[in-house]
Amino acid sequence: MSNEEDPVSADITVTSVEIPELTEEEQRDRLHLERRVERAFFEAGKALTELRDRRLYRSTHKTFEEYCRDRFAHSRQQSNYLIAAAGVYENLTTIGCQNVANENLTTIGCQILPTSERQVRPMTKLEPQEQQEVWLRAVEVAGGKVPTGRIVKDVVQRIMERTKVPNTYQIGEVCQILVKENSELRGKGGCWGIVSQANEFSCTVRMWDGEYAIGLQHLKSYNYLPAECEQMRVICDRINQVYSSGLEESVQKFLESLGKLNRAYLTDLEEKVLSLLESEITHKEAWG
């Protein structure tokens, strides 16, 4: 076999392909698009907040929860996560670079910021100053890069341990909800709830429209007597049995007003209206 026919000795020609460098315009476009990707969860949270606060869903849906489910396939929890994350993100932009336009506050701008909702989820229950402290520490642990959600969660846990306050709340105790800049509790300020579970750093609280896990810093006991706590438990049970996301807005507003009582009883009028609603619900259930 000749050399020309021998595949082992045959010459192989490799043509190199030169990849052109990005132009200045392309580099700017890349940075701009990367920033949009990084801020996607923040923009979604801001948009959801405005849709909710301005009630822009009212022409097609009775409640924000129904609207998010139908329009975005979001559960209420998922929407709340995004709304809360947007609040944390906005707070973190105030750590530094206050004079820089918001669109430049990214991981490739003058400071490192979150790029996903899961990275900030562990911080949503913290005070604004604590959020900033956690994030700076998490970035440091991550070696100056965007930290993972796991790193952030670990840092939060360490700070919570450092500032641990004993949970003195008792099951059945009636508490007032204190919002304190926690966007997840928006609309719940002044509401009362009944402690159904006491955890290490939070309590599970039953309110007029469901159960919520609330940090200790967002609770304040009414110091009701045991008999008064029992009265409020009965009222809470009655409201929960009547409440559903599909109720007319006027009915929801009435139930919400009961959820903000600062007394351990119903007036005669409140009792009559609630009894009427209970009767209506029972009648509908009986007739399917």
Side-chain angles (χ1 to χ4, degrees):
M1 180 182 291
S2 67
N3 285 343
E4 291 180 353
E5 297 173 339
D6 185 358
V8 176
S9 60
D11 292 334
I12 299 176
T13 302
V14 177
T15 304
S16 63
V17 178
E18 185 176 345
I19 301 176
E21 292 292 327
L22 294 180
T23 64
E24 288 188 12
E25 182 180 0
E26 288 175 325
Q27 185 67 23
R28 285 195 301 270
D29 289 344
R30 171 179 167 169
L31 294 178
H32 173 69
L33 293 171
E34 286 175 344
R35 288 168 182 168
R36 287 179 61 184
V37 171
E38 291 174 333
R39 289 165 53 90
F41 79 95
F42 169 62
E43 296 297 345
K46 279 184 63 179
L48 285 168
T49 301
E50 186 167 354
L51 286 165
R52 180 196 64 189
D53 292 351
R54 294 176 58 191
R55 297 185 59 249
L56 297 178
Y57 56 85
R58 65 183 184 274
S59 62
T60 56
H61 293 77
K62 292 181 179 179
T63 67
F64 182 63
E65 180 181 352
E66 289 179 345
Y67 167 69
C68 288
R69 184 174 61 245
D70 293 345
R71 182 63 180 83
F72 307 113
H74 281 188
S75 64
R76 179 173 67 177
Q77 185 179 53
Q78 188 176 359
S79 296
N80 286 341
Y81 279 152
L82 286 168
I83 290 171
V88 175
Y89 183 99
E90 206 152 33
N91 175 46
L92 295 181
T93 65
T94 65
I95 294 176
C97 313
Q98 289 92 336
N99 297 323
V100 179
N102 271 351
E103 66 179 26
N104 293 324
L105 291 171
T106 69
T107 55
I108 47 181
C110 64
Q111 70 178 104
I112 295 174
L113 289 173
T115 57
S116 76
E117 178 271 322
R118 284 192 172 274
Q119 291 162 1
V120 300
R121 188 182 298 180
M123 297 187 287
T124 56
K125 299 291 194 301
L126 301 179
E127 299 298 324
Q129 187 62 40
E130 292 174 324
Q131 291 171 356
Q132 295 179 2
E133 180 184 350
V134 165
W135 183 252
L136 289 174
R137 176 57 183 155
V139 170
E140 183 181 338
V141 172
K145 299 178 181 178
V146 179
T148 63
R150 169 56 62 184
I151 290 177
V152 176
K153 186 176 181 180
D154 289 344
V155 174
V156 168
Q157 187 65 35
R158 287 198 291 272
I159 287 182
M160 294 292 283
E161 288 289 345
R162 187 186 70 199
T163 59
K164 184 176 178 180
V165 176
N167 187 349
T168 59
Y169 289 102
Q170 303 293 316
I171 293 176
E173 189 169 356
V174 182
C175 301
Q176 183 183 28
I177 310 303
L178 308 174
V179 175
K180 289 185 178 179
E181 299 182 359
N182 185 333
S183 58
E184 275 198 349
L185 296 176
R186 188 188 298 270
K188 303 300 182 187
C191 287
W192 57 271
I194 298 177
V195 176
S196 59
Q197 183 175 332
N199 308 308
E200 193 171 13
F201 302 114
S202 65
C203 288
T204 301
V205 177
R206 288 184 62 210
M207 297 171 63
W208 67 277
D209 61 346
E211 282 194 330
Y212 295 84
I214 300 179
L216 301 182
Q217 70 272 30
H218 296 290
L219 295 173
K220 179 182 178 181
S221 177
Y222 274 111
N223 294 316
Y224 283 155
L225 297 173
E228 293 175 316
C229 288
E230 177 60 20
Q231 287 175 210
M232 296 303 282
R233 184 194 65 77
V234 172
I235 293 173
C236 187
D237 287 345
R238 294 175 65 189
I239 295 174
N240 286 163
Q241 288 175 352
V242 171
Y243 172 77
S244 76
S245 59
L247 291 173
E248 293 181 7
E249 185 177 352
S250 58
V251 176
Q252 288 206 36
K253 289 293 184 183
F254 169 70
L255 296 178
E256 183 179 355
S257 71
L258 297 185
K260 293 187 176 182
L261 294 177
N262 56 6
R263 45 184 159 77
Y265 61 89
L266 299 177
T267 64
D268 289 342
L269 180 58
E270 289 167 343
E271 176 62 41
K272 287 179 181 178
V273 175
L274 182 56
S275 296
L276 178 61
L277 290 174
E278 289 173 320
S279 176
E280 286 289 324
I281 296 296
T282 302
H283 180 74
K284 286 182 179 179
E285 289 177 349
W287 288 91

